[in-house]
PDB file of all heavy atoms in Angstrom:
ATOM      1  N   PRO A  89      -8.839  66.802   6.737  1.00 81.00           N
ATOM      2  CA  PRO A  89      -7.857  66.454   5.719  1.00 81.00           C
ATOM      3  C   PRO A  89      -7.830  67.474   4.570  1.00 81.00           C
ATOM      4  O   PRO A  89      -8.846  68.009   4.140  1.00 81.00           O
ATOM      5  CB  PRO A  89      -8.357  65.081   5.182  1.00 81.00           C
ATOM      6  CG  PRO A  89      -9.186  64.556   6.336  1.00 81.00           C
ATOM      7  CD  PRO A  89      -9.827  65.707   6.941  1.00 81.00           C
ATOM      8  N   LEU A  91      -6.297  67.839   0.763  1.00 92.00           N
ATOM      9  CA  LEU A  91      -5.619  67.163  -0.396  1.00 92.00           C
ATOM     10  C   LEU A  91      -5.426  68.175  -1.451  1.00 92.00           C
ATOM     11  O   LEU A  91      -6.319  68.984  -1.739  1.00 92.00           O
ATOM     12  CB  LEU A  91      -6.495  65.950  -0.854  1.00 92.00           C
ATOM     13  CG  LEU A  91      -6.643  64.800   0.152  1.00 92.00           C
ATOM     14  CD1 LEU A  91      -7.750  63.880  -0.387  1.00 92.00           C
ATOM     15  CD2 LEU A  91      -5.330  64.070   0.296  1.00 92.00           C
ATOM     16  N   PRO A 237     -14.332  54.229  -0.622  1.00 97.00           N
ATOM     17  CA  PRO A 237     -14.253  55.376   0.211  1.00 97.00           C
ATOM     18  C   PRO A 237     -14.891  56.666  -0.362  1.00 97.00           C
ATOM     19  O   PRO A 237     -15.406  57.519   0.394  1.00 97.00           O
ATOM     20  CB  PRO A 237     -12.763  55.604   0.486  1.00 97.00           C
ATOM     21  CG  PRO A 237     -12.176  54.261   0.337  1.00 97.00           C
ATOM     22  CD  PRO A 237     -12.967  53.590  -0.774  1.00 97.00           C
ATOM     23  N   PHE A 238     -14.847  56.752  -1.687  1.00 97.00           N
ATOM     24  CA  PHE A 238     -15.427  57.947  -2.288  1.00 97.00           C
ATOM     25  C   PHE A 238     -16.920  58.082  -1.965  1.00 97.00           C
ATOM     26  O   PHE A 238     -17.435  59.160  -1.864  1.00 97.00           O
ATOM     27  CB  PHE A 238     -15.287  57.848  -3.841  1.00 97.00           C
ATOM     28  CG  PHE A 238     -15.804  59.034  -4.583  1.00 97.00           C
ATOM     29  CD1 PHE A 238     -14.917  60.133  -4.823  1.00 97.00           C
ATOM     30  CD2 PHE A 238     -17.060  59.131  -5.063  1.00 97.00           C
ATOM     31  CE1 PHE A 238     -15.349  61.249  -5.523  1.00 97.00           C
ATOM     32  CE2 PHE A 238     -17.495  60.248  -5.774  1.00 97.00           C
ATOM     33  CZ  PHE A 238     -16.677  61.305  -5.997  1.00 97.00           C
ATOM     34  N   THR A 241     -17.270  57.569   2.927  1.00 96.00           N
ATOM     35  CA  THR A 241     -16.514  58.293   3.935  1.00 96.00           C
ATOM     36  C   THR A 241     -17.310  59.362   4.680  1.00 96.00           C
ATOM     37  O   THR A 241     -17.359  59.465   5.854  1.00 96.00           O
ATOM     38  CB  THR A 241     -15.279  58.902   3.337  1.00 96.00           C
ATOM     39  OG1 THR A 241     -14.399  57.873   2.801  1.00 96.00           O
ATOM     40  CG2 THR A 241     -14.469  59.724   4.386  1.00 96.00           C
ATOM     41  N   LEU A 271     -17.418  61.959  -1.599  1.00 96.00           N
ATOM     42  CA  LEU A 271     -16.348  62.871  -1.200  1.00 96.00           C
ATOM     43  C   LEU A 271     -16.474  64.263  -1.802  1.00 96.00           C
ATOM     44  O   LEU A 271     -16.037  65.257  -1.248  1.00 96.00           O
ATOM     45  CB  LEU A 271     -15.026  62.265  -1.656  1.00 96.00           C
ATOM     46  CG  LEU A 271     -14.430  61.196  -0.674  1.00 96.00           C
ATOM     47  CD1 LEU A 271     -13.098  60.711  -1.262  1.00 96.00           C
ATOM     48  CD2 LEU A 271     -14.237  61.676   0.747  1.00 96.00           C
ATOM     49  N   THR A 359      -8.266  48.052   6.008  1.00 96.00           N
ATOM     50  CA  THR A 359      -9.710  48.262   5.776  1.00 96.00           C
ATOM     51  C   THR A 359      -9.914  49.058   4.520  1.00 96.00           C
ATOM     52  O   THR A 359      -8.955  49.503   3.863  1.00 96.00           O
ATOM     53  CB  THR A 359     -10.370  49.010   6.965  1.00 96.00           C
ATOM     54  OG1 THR A 359      -9.965  50.364   6.943  1.00 96.00           O
ATOM     55  CG2 THR A 359      -9.989  48.349   8.294  1.00 96.00           C
ATOM     56  N   ALA A 360     -11.174  49.260   4.202  1.00 96.00           N
ATOM     57  CA  ALA A 360     -11.522  50.114   3.070  1.00 96.00           C
ATOM     58  C   ALA A 360     -11.754  51.548   3.429  1.00 96.00           C
ATOM     59  O   ALA A 360     -12.299  52.350   2.676  1.00 96.00           O
ATOM     60  CB  ALA A 360     -12.803  49.574   2.413  1.00 96.00           C
ATOM     61  N   SER A 361     -11.287  51.957   4.615  1.00 95.00           N
ATOM     62  CA  SER A 361     -11.420  53.351   5.060  1.00 95.00           C
ATOM     63  C   SER A 361     -10.559  54.304   4.294  1.00 95.00           C
ATOM     64  O   SER A 361      -9.456  53.961   3.857  1.00 95.00           O
ATOM     65  CB  SER A 361     -11.097  53.447   6.541  1.00 95.00           C
ATOM     66  OG  SER A 361     -11.977  52.651   7.333  1.00 95.00           O
ATOM     67  N   PHE A 362     -11.067  55.527   4.162  1.00 95.00           N
ATOM     68  CA  PHE A 362     -10.317  56.581   3.420  1.00 95.00           C
ATOM     69  C   PHE A 362      -9.175  57.074   4.288  1.00 95.00           C
ATOM     70  O   PHE A 362      -9.326  57.285   5.524  1.00 95.00           O
ATOM     71  CB  PHE A 362     -11.283  57.741   3.119  1.00 95.00           C
ATOM     72  CG  PHE A 362     -10.693  58.795   2.215  1.00 95.00           C
ATOM     73  CD1 PHE A 362     -10.102  58.496   1.065  1.00 95.00           C
ATOM     74  CD2 PHE A 362     -10.756  60.132   2.569  1.00 95.00           C
ATOM     75  CE1 PHE A 362      -9.542  59.429   0.193  1.00 95.00           C
ATOM     76  CE2 PHE A 362     -10.243  61.108   1.769  1.00 95.00           C
ATOM     77  CZ  PHE A 362      -9.637  60.782   0.594  1.00 95.00           C
ATOM     78  N   LEU A 363      -8.009  57.194   3.703  1.00 92.00           N
ATOM     79  CA  LEU A 363      -6.769  57.697   4.333  1.00 92.00           C
ATOM     80  C   LEU A 363      -6.129  56.798   5.338  1.00 92.00           C
ATOM     81  O   LEU A 363      -4.931  56.655   5.404  1.00 92.00           O
ATOM     82  CB  LEU A 363      -6.970  59.077   4.964  1.00 92.00           C
ATOM     83  CG  LEU A 363      -7.399  60.207   4.088  1.00 92.00           C
ATOM     84  CD1 LEU A 363      -7.506  61.543   4.919  1.00 92.00           C
ATOM     85  CD2 LEU A 363      -6.451  60.424   2.910  1.00 92.00           C
ATOM     86  N   THR A 364      -6.927  56.116   6.166  1.00 91.00           N
ATOM     87  CA  THR A 364      -6.390  55.315   7.263  1.00 91.00           C
ATOM     88  C   THR A 364      -6.429  53.795   7.039  1.00 91.00           C
ATOM     89  O   THR A 364      -5.855  53.046   7.792  1.00 91.00           O
ATOM     90  CB  THR A 364      -7.132  55.640   8.548  1.00 91.00           C
ATOM     91  OG1 THR A 364      -8.472  55.302   8.430  1.00 91.00           O
ATOM     92  CG2 THR A 364      -6.975  57.077   8.925  1.00 91.00           C
ATOM     93  N   GLY A 365      -7.120  53.350   5.986  1.00 94.00           N
ATOM     94  CA  GLY A 365      -7.314  51.955   5.799  1.00 94.00           C
ATOM     95  C   GLY A 365      -6.133  51.246   5.172  1.00 94.00           C
ATOM     96  O   GLY A 365      -5.970  50.007   5.310  1.00 94.00           O
ATOM     97  N   PHE A 368      -6.670  52.120  -0.113  1.00 97.00           N
ATOM     98  CA  PHE A 368      -7.052  53.067  -1.202  1.00 97.00           C
ATOM     99  C   PHE A 368      -6.186  54.284  -1.215  1.00 97.00           C
ATOM    100  O   PHE A 368      -5.585  54.681  -0.258  1.00 97.00           O
ATOM    101  CB  PHE A 368      -8.508  53.485  -0.956  1.00 97.00           C
ATOM    102  CG  PHE A 368      -9.546  52.472  -1.398  1.00 97.00           C
ATOM    103  CD1 PHE A 368      -9.938  51.497  -0.580  1.00 97.00           C
ATOM    104  CD2 PHE A 368     -10.011  52.536  -2.718  1.00 97.00           C
ATOM    105  CE1 PHE A 368     -10.902  50.560  -1.071  1.00 97.00           C
ATOM    106  CE2 PHE A 368     -10.928  51.597  -3.172  1.00 97.00           C
ATOM    107  CZ  PHE A 368     -11.381  50.574  -2.314  1.00 97.00           C
ATOM    108  N   SER A 369      -6.035  54.865  -2.419  1.00 96.00           N
ATOM    109  CA  SER A 369      -5.296  56.078  -2.634  1.00 96.00           C
ATOM    110  C   SER A 369      -6.091  57.298  -2.299  1.00 96.00           C
ATOM    111  O   SER A 369      -7.280  57.166  -1.838  1.00 96.00           O
ATOM    112  CB  SER A 369      -4.771  56.132  -4.066  1.00 96.00           C
ATOM    113  OG  SER A 369      -5.859  56.351  -4.947  1.00 96.00           O
ATOM    114  N   TYR A 370      -5.512  58.454  -2.530  1.00 96.00           N
ATOM    115  CA  TYR A 370      -6.137  59.695  -2.115  1.00 96.00           C
ATOM    116  C   TYR A 370      -7.398  60.078  -2.878  1.00 96.00           C
ATOM    117  O   TYR A 370      -8.097  61.044  -2.490  1.00 96.00           O
ATOM    118  CB  TYR A 370      -5.135  60.874  -2.196  1.00 96.00           C
ATOM    119  CG  TYR A 370      -3.992  60.710  -1.212  1.00 96.00           C
ATOM    120  CD1 TYR A 370      -2.696  61.076  -1.575  1.00 96.00           C
ATOM    121  CD2 TYR A 370      -4.185  60.319   0.098  1.00 96.00           C
ATOM    122  CE1 TYR A 370      -1.651  60.972  -0.725  1.00 96.00           C
ATOM    123  CE2 TYR A 370      -3.165  60.217   0.975  1.00 96.00           C
ATOM    124  CZ  TYR A 370      -1.867  60.542   0.607  1.00 96.00           C
ATOM    125  OH  TYR A 370      -0.846  60.441   1.502  1.00 96.00           O
ATOM    126  N   ASP A 371      -7.700  59.450  -3.982  1.00 97.00           N
ATOM    127  CA  ASP A 371      -8.949  59.792  -4.648  1.00 97.00           C
ATOM    128  C   ASP A 371     -10.149  59.006  -4.132  1.00 97.00           C
ATOM    129  O   ASP A 371     -11.296  59.295  -4.532  1.00 97.00           O
ATOM    130  CB  ASP A 371      -8.805  59.600  -6.201  1.00 97.00           C
ATOM    131  CG  ASP A 371      -8.463  58.154  -6.650  1.00 97.00           C
ATOM    132  OD1 ASP A 371      -8.733  57.244  -5.879  1.00 97.00           O
ATOM    133  OD2 ASP A 371      -7.893  58.031  -7.732  1.00 97.00           O
ATOM    134  N   GLY A 372      -9.884  58.066  -3.298  1.00 97.00           N
ATOM    135  CA  GLY A 372     -11.010  57.297  -2.685  1.00 97.00           C
ATOM    136  C   GLY A 372     -11.638  56.330  -3.658  1.00 97.00           C
ATOM    137  O   GLY A 372     -12.692  55.679  -3.255  1.00 97.00           O
ATOM    138  N   VAL A 373     -11.123  56.138  -4.777  1.00 97.00           N
ATOM    139  CA  VAL A 373     -11.659  55.243  -5.799  1.00 97.00           C
ATOM    140  C   VAL A 373     -10.658  54.075  -6.149  1.00 97.00           C
ATOM    141  O   VAL A 373     -11.038  52.940  -6.207  1.00 97.00           O
ATOM    142  CB  VAL A 373     -12.028  55.984  -7.092  1.00 97.00           C
ATOM    143  CG1 VAL A 373     -12.544  55.015  -8.169  1.00 97.00           C
ATOM    144  CG2 VAL A 373     -13.101  57.066  -6.760  1.00 97.00           C
ATOM    145  N   VAL A 422      -9.539  60.610  11.289  1.00 38.00           N
ATOM    146  CA  VAL A 422      -9.874  61.874  10.643  1.00 38.00           C
ATOM    147  C   VAL A 422     -11.382  61.984  10.543  1.00 38.00           C
ATOM    148  O   VAL A 422     -12.130  61.032  10.643  1.00 38.00           O
ATOM    149  CB  VAL A 422      -9.291  62.053   9.256  1.00 38.00           C
ATOM    150  CG1 VAL A 422      -7.801  62.067   9.326  1.00 38.00           C
ATOM    151  CG2 VAL A 422      -9.765  60.912   8.325  1.00 38.00           C
ATOM    152  N   MET A 424     -14.490  63.695   8.209  1.00 40.00           N
ATOM    153  CA  MET A 424     -14.717  64.190   6.877  1.00 40.00           C
ATOM    154  C   MET A 424     -15.897  65.193   6.812  1.00 40.00           C
ATOM    155  O   MET A 424     -16.167  65.748   5.788  1.00 40.00           O
ATOM    156  CB  MET A 424     -14.930  63.082   5.876  1.00 40.00           C
ATOM    157  CG  MET A 424     -13.672  62.300   5.668  1.00 40.00           C
ATOM    158  SD  MET A 424     -12.295  63.235   5.102  1.00 40.00           S
ATOM    159  CE  MET A 424     -12.899  63.861   3.592  1.00 40.00           C
TER     160      MET A 424
END
Side-chain angles (χ1 to χ4, degrees):
L91 296 167
F238 185 87
T241 299
L271 280 180
T359 73
S361 297
F362 188 52
L363 298 183
T364 61
F368 281 88
S369 69
Y370 293 140
D371 59 24
V373 177
V422 296
M424 292 303 299

